[in-house]
Amino acid sequence: MAKRRDWRSYERNWRAYERFRRDDVELFLKRAKELVWSMEPPWSVKHTGRRGYPPRSMALLCLLKTELKMDYRSISSYLKANPDQLKLVGLDRAPSHTAIRNALSRIPESYLKRLNDRLVEPFKKGIWEQIAQGSPQRGMKPGSA
């Protein structure tokens, strides 16, 4: 009888896991930045009053907030702790949680739909072709491939 190993007996490489998670966020930001910058800004910039944050950068922050499943305060403190990712977004300083919340409420639903369509487009094209190639032909006997 084979001896079952307990999940606690496996050794974990936390340094490699943390490096992957850091790189994972950077890869997401780079891909999302290409997409957001290829589209028009979600809202027009006003030229009176106090200068606000760039709309594309704030839209990218809202995507990052959703990707990391963080609340507004957490994403604000995360950006303060990671200035290299803040530079990737295109900002010099981290916005407050209120600024991020206001930006998310300003983004129109139509913009989010177009952004989502463009984000999932590469996966729509390739996934069905891979499924069709991986599934057996009609009339084939199991094991005859």
Side-chain angles (χ1 to χ4, degrees):
M1 179 181 253
K3 184 177 177 182
R4 283 184 58 187
R5 293 184 69 180
D6 190 46
W7 65 271
R8 289 171 281 215
S9 65
Y10 290 105
E11 203 170 309
R12 292 176 180 84
N13 188 351
W14 290 111
R15 179 175 283 163
Y17 174 76
E18 290 167 358
R19 191 177 308 125
F20 167 75
R21 290 299 297 167
R22 184 188 67 228
D23 294 343
D24 188 33
V25 172
E26 287 180 18
L27 290 173
F28 171 78
L29 279 177
K30 287 177 183 176
R31 173 66 182 122
K33 184 177 182 178
E34 289 174 10
L35 184 65
V36 170
W37 260 256
S38 70
M39 297 174 64
E40 71 278 354
W43 64 84
S44 60
V45 179
K46 64 179 184 173
H47 297 287
T48 59
R50 186 176 179 180
R51 189 171 47 162
Y53 292 100
R56 287 184 173 129
S57 296
M58 294 307 285
L60 192 55
L61 282 184
C62 293
L63 283 175
L64 181 64
K65 175 200 171 303
T66 306
E67 172 69 19
L68 297 177
K69 298 177 178 86
M70 291 183 168
D71 59 5
Y72 297 107
R73 289 184 191 271
S74 299
I75 195 67
S76 179
S77 61
Y78 175 81
L79 291 170
K80 288 176 186 173
N82 296 304
D84 54 334
Q85 291 180 358
L86 191 63
K87 298 290 182 197
L88 252 166
V89 172
L91 295 174
D92 295 330
R93 60 185 173 90
S96 68
H97 65 279
T98 309
I100 298 171
R101 182 181 54 85
N102 291 341
L104 190 59
S105 67
R106 287 185 76 178
I107 298 175
E109 188 176 347
S110 61
Y111 182 84
L112 292 175
K113 285 182 180 180
R114 282 190 316 235
L115 188 62
N116 186 48
D117 289 342
R118 287 189 180 180
L119 271 172
V120 299
E121 186 177 338
F123 301 107
K124 284 183 179 178
K125 289 181 182 176
I127 193 81
W128 294 113
E129 293 169 7
Q130 291 175 359
I131 290 172
Q133 290 173 358
S135 60
Q137 299 285 329
R138 178 176 266 176
M140 288 180 66
K141 294 180 183 176
S144 64

